Structure formats: structure tokens, C-alpha cells
Amino acid sequence: GLCGHPSSLHHNGLDYLSVEAPFCSFPLQVDKYLYHMRLSDETLQEISDRFGKDMEKGLGADTNPTASVKMLPTFVRSTPDGTEEGEFLSLDLGGTNFRVLRVKVADNGSKKVEMENQIYAIPEDLMRGSGAQLFDHIAECLASFMEQLQIKEKKLPLGFTFSFPCYQTKLDESILVNWTKGFKSSGVEGRDVVSLLRKAIRKRGDFDIDIVAVVNDTVGTMMTCGYDDHNCEVGLIVGTGSNACYMEDMRHIDLVEGDEGRMCINMEWGAFGDDGSLSDIRTEFDREIDMGSLNPGKQLFEKMISGMYMGELVRIILCVSPWFLSEPFGWLLTGLGSPWVAHVRYITMQIYCLTPAFADPILTRLGLDPTPEDCVATQRICQVVSTRSANLCGAALCAVLRRIKENKGVDRLRTTVGVDGTVYKKHPHFARRLQKVVRRLLPDCEVRFIRSEDGSGKGAAMVTAVAYRLAAQQKVRQEILDPLRLSHEQLMEVKRRMRQEMERGLALDSHPEATVKMLPSFVCSTPDGTEKGDFLALDLGGTNFRVLLVRIRTGIRRSVEMHNKIYAIPQEIMQGTGEELFDHIVQCIADFLEYMGMKGVSLPLGFTFSFPCDQTSLDKGILVEWTKGFSATGCEGNDVAEMLREAMRRREFDLDVVAVVNDTVGTMMACAYEDPLCEVGLIVGTGSNACYMEEMKNVELVEGDEGRMCINMEWGAFGDNGCLDDFRTEFDVAVDDNSLYPGKQRYEKMISGKYLGEIRGLLFRGRISERLKTQDIFETKFLSQIESDRLALLQVRSILQHLGLESTCDDSIIVKEVCAVVARRAAQLCGAGMAAVVEKIRENRGLDFFRVTVGVDGTLYKLHPHFSAVMHETVRKLAPKCEVSFLQSEDGSGKGAALITAVACRIREAGQH
């Protein structure tokens, strides 16, 4: 027998026990008899794990065809956020009657939903006639409903709940797999039901509607509850049938292209076990039910938990149980008599017998004459059957919740499950038992269960409302982002204008008015590999500065060895007097030499000074103006190398200031030491600049026509004369207006990391967060992190929360899209500038084809996941006659400054010999 008892009899193909026991021990005897229907927490956990594996199979492209749990994409990409509003129609077709609803959703602070509906019958001849006749009838009923409400002239959006097995390919496209529930309309299976409905409406010609979504009733349940509770991301139905849905990360859904955001998955979990994975859990009673059903071997999990089969399960157990010894009772229960069949729906709804006394009238109504013992046994069997149903349902639900928790990467999940169905709502203990098993199996989850009100009607309207909200947001977003998207022709024009401005900066006559200053650096040679010696480098370009000792070795052991120490510059010194600033710098140099054990040693020094300078020789740099928050007085218009020498004299120690170095030139020199083809330097970090080796004959600001000289372009000011105005957007203007230097460095503000994060304003559903209005909160590192391919939207959300911005999943998608568009434009604009530079070098040398290396530095170039690739591609397209390689610089401002000093010393020594 089932429980291993010694005596058993055979009845109706099932083994059952012959038990002779006193009436008082009936519940105990029932428990023993139904031992296999009582599931321990360990067994439930095992079932939950199996279900989790089946979910994985259903989501995988390769494994889905053989998966029993189909995990169907619904193309519902968001739950309600409370801002939905408008008037919607809803059509609910799932049985012999169907409903048409008008749903008004108001977002006026009260989040009010008003519904009116009308039920229409579907005659049996239409259910079995042609599909065209069926959809004509639906269109006629829809017209009648709209006429009644006087809304025929409006083109309202409609959500269509179609509760039949479908394969959905888009939100508004659903292919009927096969009819169920008595429908047999011809010409519909294998076709898109939305197209058939649209055709029927067009044929009438007296009204028009916008069919936005086809909705499964389980999804409708989640969406209805999601409007009231924004944490709701799971839908569950336990009624005559059972199913669940939940919001899955797009990156895990192989069946749909794209990795961004989430999508609701209609699990169709009733088929769990159809592949035999529940065979050790299913009892002889479950097998009996399955064999007698309309679809043997299908929907096995649903047959164990749903209301449609629970009453039948109780009947089968009663049929073969050893307690009902009176002939009439047993005879009627076997199904040979008609009363049971007639009242099967009644018994299904009444399986939750609270007490033996409650069982009596139910059994009597079925024409049975129960004894007290019959009532006790019936009540206990009902309890065991419904408890198992709740436990199995809870085990599968735990797998869903566990997956959501893992997707979110949280230690403790707080979420809400929207529930519908007669078993859940009407059984007095089912909901409590389900919730208890979820709490036991998932103690690290706080799960709230809320009952759905009209998931198939209101839910379809909610799906439609959300789709409308997303479409409206996308339209606004595209309108705002479109000016940030640049065509090939526009980029060619940027390249042409950059070349024009370069020529103006090089020419003596036009130089004073030129915005791209093309400053001579007096660096006339790149390293040749023979440089050697010990050099000091000083790197000043921000709130911190570095002092470095650089040891350059030549020969077989050719190497560059560096030691450095970082010092802070307090704000009061940044904004004090020039004398105080340079005294502080010299004090730090003295500290470093002492730290290195080199006190009193005189070494050649290269000074990287990353501010706009007018150089008249290699060791003389006149500060044009302070940037980056510096405002020390008495410096602008003076030679910074001489101010450094004066500060040294005040301290009574002597160093040989050989070169004033721009960090971009340093970057080129550091890379040129590794690659002799490197003749261009580029920095794309908090700021942006470029330099390159120009023919002396073209450098009109410096006498002499022989050889070459590195030109520090100061290209960040490109556009300051208005030549880029037709490319600047309202966001660029806003960033410029709110910057420390309005009207200055406009090109830099369009491409550098310091300003990219500031190009803001359309995030968070079009409402600018107060926190977003704070300047500079959107750091470059966040821009890089947010756009990383490997970064889940959950992490995007955590970055936004770090910025003090509350964000939904939808917001995270928007932020990621905005970051991508802004960064892509920055990389393209940078590439257009670089294409102008390499093309000029090629033309200078009269070459048909030119190979060159660009030495690059800067956080945006190095850390952003897509910036470099987009920039390289842009250069390739805009300068097709140049083969441009990019080499990342290792410490251009430190190592580069030392190499410039070393090259200068090499040339000086060669001249002395």
C-alpha cells in the first residue's frame, strides 16, 4: 500500500488500506493513510530548487524548447509608478462571456481609478464557427459599449486580456497556439489575434481604437496590484487553474533581444512536472486524476494545486478510503451515479470543510447519507489536500522570490505579490498556509501579499497605461536626445572647422583673435633612446601636486625608474598670493629631497604646469589665466618658471629649471619613449587638450623654418568664437552658463569628463530632482560606471542613490541611455578634432598614406567602457588615409616632464660638444 501497511485491498486501480479503528482515532488514521501527501520542509525546499532549475531552462534559448515551464516573455517592461493617467478601454475574453471596460486613471495626487463595464455573451455557434464571425461579434459589442458611453469619436487605447495559450512576439502581437475552454473558432489558431480584431474594427469603419497590449490575466493581476503597491513585481493566480508571473532582468531572457531593464515573464507554471520532475512527489491519487482528465500528462503541477482538481482529488481519496463502508455512499462517490458529476463545481468550491459538522450538509446536498465518521474523514482529507496545495504553491513561489533576490543582489528582499483566484480568496486557510510556508522557506525575504481587484480588466488597462507612459517618456526623451546625435556629415563639418581654427592659430596675423591658440612648446625633438641621468619633475595641475625623482637608464638595461610623493595645496593658498603658492611648492620640494636622502643635490627640473601658458622658450612660460579653481594673485602675465626660481632663492637652494611642460606634451613624450611613431598627444579627462609635431615653417610665431616643434593646441577653447553654436544644445548652453568660466572652453565642455555629468535635466520622469540641480554631483566616474556593459541596472540605481537620487528601474534605464548618448557624442567630437590633427600632419608631409601613434591619457579615455572605441572608429572614418594607433600614457605629466628635460639636456650637451 501507499504507506507500507500490511493489509491492502484493490479498488478502481488504486491500492487502499483496510483499517479497522475506533472513530476517535480517524484523523490520525487519515494522516497515516495520506502520509505521502504531507510534505516536509526539506521536501518543499527540494521542490523549490527543482522549480528554480526549470525556470533557468525556460529562460535559455537552447533549453527552452524542451523546458516544461515555458517562461514566456510578455513584453510588459515596467510596473506602474503612479504617474499613469488617461482613459483606456479593456477587453476581457476568456470564457463564454466577455467584458468590455472603460477605465479612467487619474494622477492628481489621489491615484483614482474609475471603471465601467458591460458583459456580453458569446453564442455557442460563434464559439464553434469561423474566426471572422467571432471577431466581428466582439467588434460589434465594442461599438455598442462605446456608443452607450458616447465615446465612439475618441481613438482610445485598448488592452486585450486573451486568456488562451498564446505565443507573444510583441506587446501588441499574440499568436493563438490552440483554443481551450470549449472554443473551436476556425482560422484563428496560428494567427495573431490582435490583427484579427483590428481587421474586424476596420471592416466596420464606424470607430477606431489603438490596441496597445495583449495581456495574460496573471500579468493583469500583477499590474493591478502594482498600481496600489509599487513594490509589486509578482503575480499569482490560484483558482480553477494556477499560474504566476514576475519581473525578470532582461539580461537573463535569451528569447528577447536586449539587456536593458526588466520584462514580465508569464511562467505558465502549471506545466511544472510534465517532464517527470515531480514523479516522486505525485501520489497514486494524482495519477488517477491525470488519467481521467482531458489532457493526460499535461499541467501536472496545476492538477496538484488548483481548485479545478482539488474537489476531484478529494472524491478519489474518498472513493478508495477504508472508512466509508456503507454501500450507497461508496457507490455514489465512485462516479457511477450522477449526483457527484452534477455537483462537482459545488464540491470544488466547498472543499474547505471547516469541521465535520460543516462537511455534513455538503455531502448531504450531493445525495449522500454520511455518518459522523464520514464527516470526520472528509473534513480531514480536505485539510490535507488544501494544505499540500498551499505548500506546493509556496515552494514554487519561493523559487521565484529567490531569483528576484539574486537578480537584485540584496541581502534582504522586500517585495509584494499580487494574488487572485477563488482558492486563494475563498478558502479560509489557504492564504495563511501559503504565507507561512514562504516565511519558513525564505526567512530573509519580507513578502507582502495583496489581493487583486479585477486583474483581467483593470490589469489590462494598467498594462496599456504603463505602455502609454513609457512611449510618451521615450518620445520626449528622443526629442531631447536627438540634437545630441551627430551624423557623419556633421562630424566632417566639425573636422573642417577645427582645421580652419588650427590654421588661424598658427598664422601670425590671425593668432591674436584665434580661439585655438596653437601655442609653441619649444619641444623640438622626441626621445631617441640615448637619454640618461637623474631628473626632478614637478607636476602642478589641480588641488594636489607631485614631486618626482625620475632615473633614466640607457643601453641594454634601458629603463625609467620613478619615485614620487603627493602634496596637497590648501584652498587658502590656491586663492592667496603667488608668492605664498610658490613658497609652499618649494617647501614641498625640499621635503621630498630630504625624504629621498638627496638634500642639497642640484638636479635638472621639468615643471609640468597644466594651465594656459604663453611660452617664449622651453624654460619660460607666461601664465595667461588661472583655471581649475586657482586664483593666486600676482601670477597671471608672469613667468611661472622665474617665480619658482625666486621662491628657491628665498629658501637658498638651487635647482636647474630646464623646461616648463604642458601635460599634453608630456603625454606625447612619455609615449614617444616607448613608440618612435608617437607624434601626437591627447588628454581626455576632467579637461581635454591635444598637441602634435608641426613643421617649423608653419609656426609663424617662432623664427626659423627648419625642423619641427610640438604645438600645444589648447583645443578646449575651440568654439569660443561661436563656430560650434549650431552643434551646441540647450544643455551645453546651460552647462556653460552655470560654469566658473562662461563662454570659455566650449569644446572642452562638450567632451571632457568634468562637464559630461552636468549635461542633465531629463532624468527622473522629466522632473528634475533637487539633488540633480546641484552642480558637479554627476562625477565622471559615475558616468563611466553607469555605462559599463557589465553593470546591472541595480548598480546604476545604487550609484544614483549614492548621489541622493531616488530611482526606479525605469529611471535607471533612462539614466543609462542619457549617459550613453552624451558620452558617444563626446567621443565623436573628440575623434573629429583628432582626425583634423592627423590629416594636417599627413598633408604637411605630402603623404598619400600616413601611420602615426597618439599618446593618450585621462580618466574618461582610460576608464569609460565605450569612449575609446567610439573615438577610434570616428578617427578611422573621418581620416581614412591615416592609420592611427593609440597608446595609453604611463604618467605623462611626471615621466613626460622628466623626458622633456632629459631630451633638452641631451641636445644642450650635444651643442656644447
Side-chain angles (χ1 to χ4, degrees):
L2 280 174
C3 306
H5 291 280
S7 61
S8 68
L9 295 169
H10 194 73
H11 181 78
N12 255 16
L14 290 174
D15 289 329
Y16 72 97
L17 299 176
S18 174
V19 180
E20 294 175 16
F23 167 58
C24 62
S25 64
F26 263 20
L28 182 62
Q29 294 298 328
V30 172
D31 285 356
K32 280 185 177 178
Y33 181 63
L34 299 178
Y35 171 77
H36 287 294
M37 298 194 79
R38 298 174 67 80
L39 305 171
S40 67
D41 279 0
E42 290 74 21
T43 304
L44 292 172
Q45 189 61 63
E46 170 64 23
I47 292 166
S48 187
D49 292 345
R50 288 181 202 175
F51 187 75
K53 285 178 183 148
D54 273 20
M55 288 171 70
E56 286 278 357
K57 273 184 78 177
L59 288 169
D62 297 336
T63 48
N64 176 272
T66 57
S68 52
V69 180
K70 281 299 178 191
M71 305 293 284
L72 303 174
T74 64
F75 299 87
V76 172
R77 296 173 187 270
S78 174
T79 50
D81 69 359
T83 65
E84 290 77 16
E85 57 185 334
E87 190 176 1
F88 306 93
L89 288 171
S90 185
L91 190 58
D92 177 14
L93 176 62
T96 50
N97 291 328
F98 76 98
R99 287 188 308 156
V100 184
L101 303 91
R102 175 173 65 173
V103 182
K104 286 183 179 176
V105 184
D107 175 27
N108 52 9
S110 62
K111 278 176 49 175
K112 207 164 124 194
V113 179
E114 293 175 7
M115 293 196 294
E116 297 157 271
N117 74 86
Q118 182 79 44
I119 295 172
Y120 297 92
I122 300 180
E124 198 164 333
D125 60 319
L126 286 181
M127 288 171 66
R128 299 173 189 283
S130 74
Q133 290 172 318
L134 174 65
F135 283 98
D136 283 350
H137 175 67
I138 293 169
E140 190 177 328
C141 296
L142 196 50
S144 163
F145 179 76
M146 293 174 79
E147 182 100 48
Q148 194 179 315
L149 293 178
Q150 299 180 332
I151 53 172
K152 263 180 114 173
E153 74 289 348
K154 295 182 181 180
K155 187 180 178 179
L156 293 177
L158 178 137
F160 185 11
T161 303
F162 190 73
S163 302
F164 298 91
C166 280
Y167 172 64
Q168 209 157 342
T169 47
K170 291 192 291 199
L171 186 60
D172 64 344
E173 187 175 277
S174 196
I175 314 296
L176 176 65
V177 177
N178 58 274
W179 282 118
T180 55
K181 307 177 191 177
F183 278 76
K184 294 281 181 191
S185 298
S186 61
V188 182
E189 291 181 350
R191 294 183 65 188
D192 171 27
V193 294
V194 174
S195 297
L196 293 169
L197 180 57
R198 281 183 182 138
K199 188 176 177 184
I201 291 167
R202 271 199 308 272
K203 195 159 70 176
R204 289 182 61 86
D206 59 339
F207 72 97
D208 194 12
I209 52 171
D210 180 14
I211 305 172
V212 174
V214 185
V215 185
N216 170 282
D217 54 352
T218 319
V219 180
T221 294
M222 180 190 77
M223 296 295 274
T224 298
C225 296
Y227 186 72
D228 300 316
D229 181 337
H230 298 166
N231 281 327
C232 184
E233 50 194 339
V234 183
L236 170 65
I237 289 183
V238 196
T240 48
S242 182
N243 193 16
C245 68
Y246 74 104
M247 295 301 290
E248 174 60 86
D249 285 9
M250 278 290 292
R251 62 200 161 109
H252 295 143
I253 306 170
D254 288 356
L255 301 173
V256 180
E257 282 185 17
D259 289 337
E260 300 299 329
R262 301 198 298 168
M263 182 181 285
C264 181
I265 291 292
N266 163 26
M267 301 174 73
E268 291 295 344
W269 81 358
F272 175 40
D274 288 6
D275 58 357
S277 60
L278 290 178
S279 55
D280 56 332
I281 307 297
R282 293 172 70 227
T283 64
E284 292 298 319
F285 310 123
D286 296 309
R287 290 186 178 88
E288 179 82 356
I289 272 197
D290 182 41
M291 291 302 291
S293 69
L294 289 170
N295 54 347
K298 305 281 185 185
Q299 301 294 102
L300 297 182
F301 185 60
E302 183 173 79
K303 286 169 185 170
M304 295 169 84
I305 64 172
S306 75
M308 185 169 180
Y309 297 97
M310 272 201 264
E312 183 63 3
L313 193 56
V314 171
R315 182 187 75 79
I316 286 172
I317 295 169
L318 287 172
C319 278
V320 298
S321 68
W323 302 287
F324 301 110
L325 303 177
S326 61
E327 261 320 295
F329 195 78
W331 178 77
L332 283 167
L333 280 171
T334 59
L336 298 174
S338 61
W340 185 276
V341 178
H343 294 283
V344 73
R345 184 165 180 80
Y346 177 72
I347 194 76
T348 300
M349 300 307 300
Q350 300 292 337
I351 59 163
Y352 40 82
C353 299
L354 290 165
T355 62
F358 189 66
D360 189 295
I362 294 169
L363 296 171
T364 303
R365 181 168 171 180
L366 290 168
L368 305 172
D369 186 16
T371 64
E373 292 92 328
D374 295 338
C375 294
V376 169
T378 302
Q379 185 266 334
R380 189 61 178 160
I381 290 166
C382 286
Q383 192 178 355
V384 171
V385 166
S386 63
T387 300
R388 185 185 72 153
S389 170
N391 285 344
L392 286 170
C393 191
L397 184 59
C398 282
V400 177
L401 296 168
R402 198 178 301 112
R403 184 168 182 88
I404 294 171
K405 180 174 175 287
E406 285 167 7
N407 284 348
K408 291 189 174 184
V410 292
D411 294 329
R412 188 168 186 82
L413 176 69
R414 287 187 62 205
T415 193
T416 300
V417 179
V419 201
D420 206 347
T422 47
V423 173
Y424 185 90
K425 286 183 170 178
K426 296 195 175 179
H427 191 291
H429 304 301
F430 187 94
R432 180 178 54 81
R433 287 171 186 155
L434 173 67
Q435 290 165 28
K436 272 178 78 173
V437 76
V438 170
R439 278 198 299 273
R440 287 201 313 274
L441 298 184
L442 277 183
D444 52 359
C445 292
E446 290 175 41
V447 186
R448 181 180 179 220
F449 290 81
I450 58 173
R451 295 180 178 204
S452 162
E453 289 176 28
D454 197 3
S456 52
K458 181 179 170 185
M462 279 303 151
V463 172
T464 308
V466 167
Y468 251 58
R469 167 175 63 80
L470 292 178
Q473 285 174 351
Q474 176 72 3
K475 186 166 179 275
V476 170
R477 204 153 67 238
Q478 293 322 308
E479 283 171 3
I480 294 170
L481 291 177
D482 273 349
L484 291 162
R485 295 189 171 100
L486 300 174
S487 67
H488 178 75
E489 291 68 32
Q490 286 175 306
L491 291 169
M492 286 293 284
E493 181 59 23
V494 172
K495 176 186 133 179
R496 190 191 66 76
R497 292 182 197 180
M498 174 67 87
R499 175 66 180 270
Q500 201 172 20
E501 294 302 308
M502 287 169 72
E503 302 287 3
R504 292 184 68 215
L506 287 169
L508 193 60
D509 295 345
S510 51
H511 176 82
E513 289 78 41
T515 51
V516 180
K517 282 297 179 189
M518 306 293 285
L519 303 174
S521 71
F522 296 89
V523 171
C524 297
S525 174
T526 51
D528 66 1
T530 65
E531 294 77 16
K532 61 177 190 263
D534 290 359
F535 305 90
L536 278 179
L538 188 60
D539 175 16
L540 174 64
T543 50
N544 293 328
F545 79 101
R546 292 183 306 155
V547 185
L548 304 95
L549 172 66
V550 182
R551 292 190 159 126
I552 302 173
R553 300 287 174 262
T554 189
I556 300 167
R557 296 191 174 180
R558 182 170 176 263
S559 65
V560 178
E561 179 191 314
M562 294 194 292
H563 305 271
N564 75 81
K565 200 170 178 188
I566 296 171
Y567 297 90
I569 302 180
Q571 191 149 359
E572 60 270 19
I573 288 178
M574 286 169 68
Q575 296 169 357
T577 67
E579 205 167 278
E580 288 167 343
L581 173 63
F582 282 95
D583 281 347
H584 176 71
I585 289 167
V586 170
Q587 167 65 44
C588 295
I589 295 171
D591 174 81
F592 177 74
L593 288 171
E594 194 167 331
Y595 167 74
M596 293 299 298
M598 299 175 73
K599 192 175 179 182
V601 176
S602 181
L603 293 172
L605 180 143
F607 184 11
T608 300
F609 189 72
S610 302
F611 299 90
C613 273
D614 187 5
Q615 270 187 270
T616 52
S617 66
L618 184 62
D619 64 348
K620 186 173 182 181
I622 312 295
L623 174 64
V624 178
E625 63 180 337
W626 281 120
T627 55
K628 305 175 191 177
F630 278 74
S631 59
T633 57
C635 298
E636 291 180 353
N638 288 319
D639 174 13
V640 291
E642 188 54 38
M643 292 185 81
L644 181 62
R645 290 188 193 103
E646 284 171 8
M648 286 179 189
R649 286 196 283 273
R650 286 195 292 273
R651 290 268 320 188
E652 295 185 350
F653 78 93
D654 190 29
L655 293 171
D656 180 12
V657 182
V658 172
V660 177
V661 181
N662 172 277
D663 55 349
T664 317
V665 180
T667 293
M668 181 191 78
M669 293 294 274
C671 291
Y673 187 72
E674 308 296 332
D675 180 350
L677 287 176
C678 182
E679 297 185 73
V680 184
L682 170 67
I683 288 184
V684 200
T686 48
S688 183
N689 194 14
C691 68
Y692 71 102
M693 296 302 289
E694 177 60 89
E695 307 300 313
M696 276 294 292
K697 63 183 183 200
N698 296 331
V699 186
E700 294 184 14
L701 298 176
V702 181
E703 286 185 8
D705 287 347
E706 294 303 313
R708 294 173 185 149
M709 181 182 286
C710 183
I711 293 295
N712 162 25
M713 295 177 66
E714 290 296 342
W715 82 357
F718 176 38
D720 288 5
N721 60 356
C723 71
L724 287 180
D725 283 1
D726 50 335
F727 293 101
R728 293 171 76 227
T729 66
E730 59 183 291
F731 305 110
D732 296 305
V733 172
V735 165
D736 186 30
D737 289 347
N738 293 318
S739 68
L740 283 171
Y741 313 103
K744 301 288 178 75
Q745 301 295 102
R746 287 180 172 177
Y747 183 59
E748 181 175 83
K749 284 167 187 169
M750 293 168 88
I751 66 175
S752 78
K754 179 172 172 61
Y755 301 99
L756 285 198
E758 286 294 293
I759 297 173
R760 70 210 187 277
L762 68 155
L763 312 182
F764 305 93
R765 302 190 279 284
R767 297 194 285 270
I768 300 178
S769 151
E770 284 305 311
R771 180 89 172 106
L772 260 183
K773 290 179 184 172
T774 310
Q775 230 176 321
D776 297 332
I777 62 156
F778 230 104
E779 296 171 41
T780 318
K781 68 174 181 183
F782 292 131
L783 195 78
S784 297
Q785 287 171 3
I786 283 168
E787 243 212 280
S788 170
D789 278 337
R790 297 179 301 281
L791 201 64
L793 289 166
L794 176 75
Q795 290 159 290
V796 175
R797 195 180 300 180
S798 74
I799 291 168
L800 296 174
Q801 283 165 352
H802 176 88
L803 296 171
L805 308 168
E806 280 307 312
S807 151
T808 66
C809 180
D810 296 342
D811 290 330
S812 304
I813 297 167
I814 293 166
V815 170
K816 213 168 170 188
E817 184 183 3
V818 171
C819 289
V821 171
V822 169
R824 182 174 179 79
R825 183 190 70 154
Q828 288 177 323
L829 286 171
C830 187
M834 187 47 60
V837 173
V838 295
E839 277 283 285
K840 180 161 187 0
I841 303 172
R842 183 185 69 78
E843 288 176 21
N844 282 347
R845 299 180 191 178
L847 299 171
D848 292 330
F849 186 76
F850 177 51
R851 285 180 66 211
V852 68
T853 297
V854 179
V856 201
D857 204 350
T859 48
L860 188 58
Y861 182 90
K862 286 182 170 179
L863 300 180
H864 194 281
H866 307 301
F867 188 95
S868 59
V870 173
M871 191 190 84
H872 298 169
E873 177 69 5
T874 306
V875 174
R876 191 181 63 75
K877 285 180 177 173
L878 300 185
K881 292 181 180 178
C882 298
E883 185 184 308
V884 186
S885 301
F886 292 84
L887 178 63
Q888 284 198 25
S889 162
E890 296 294 325
D891 196 8
S893 48
K895 179 180 170 184
L899 281 163
I900 288 170
T901 307
V903 169
C905 289
R906 166 172 64 80
I907 292 168
R908 189 165 62 186
E909 284 168 18
Q912 287 168 356
H913 291 100

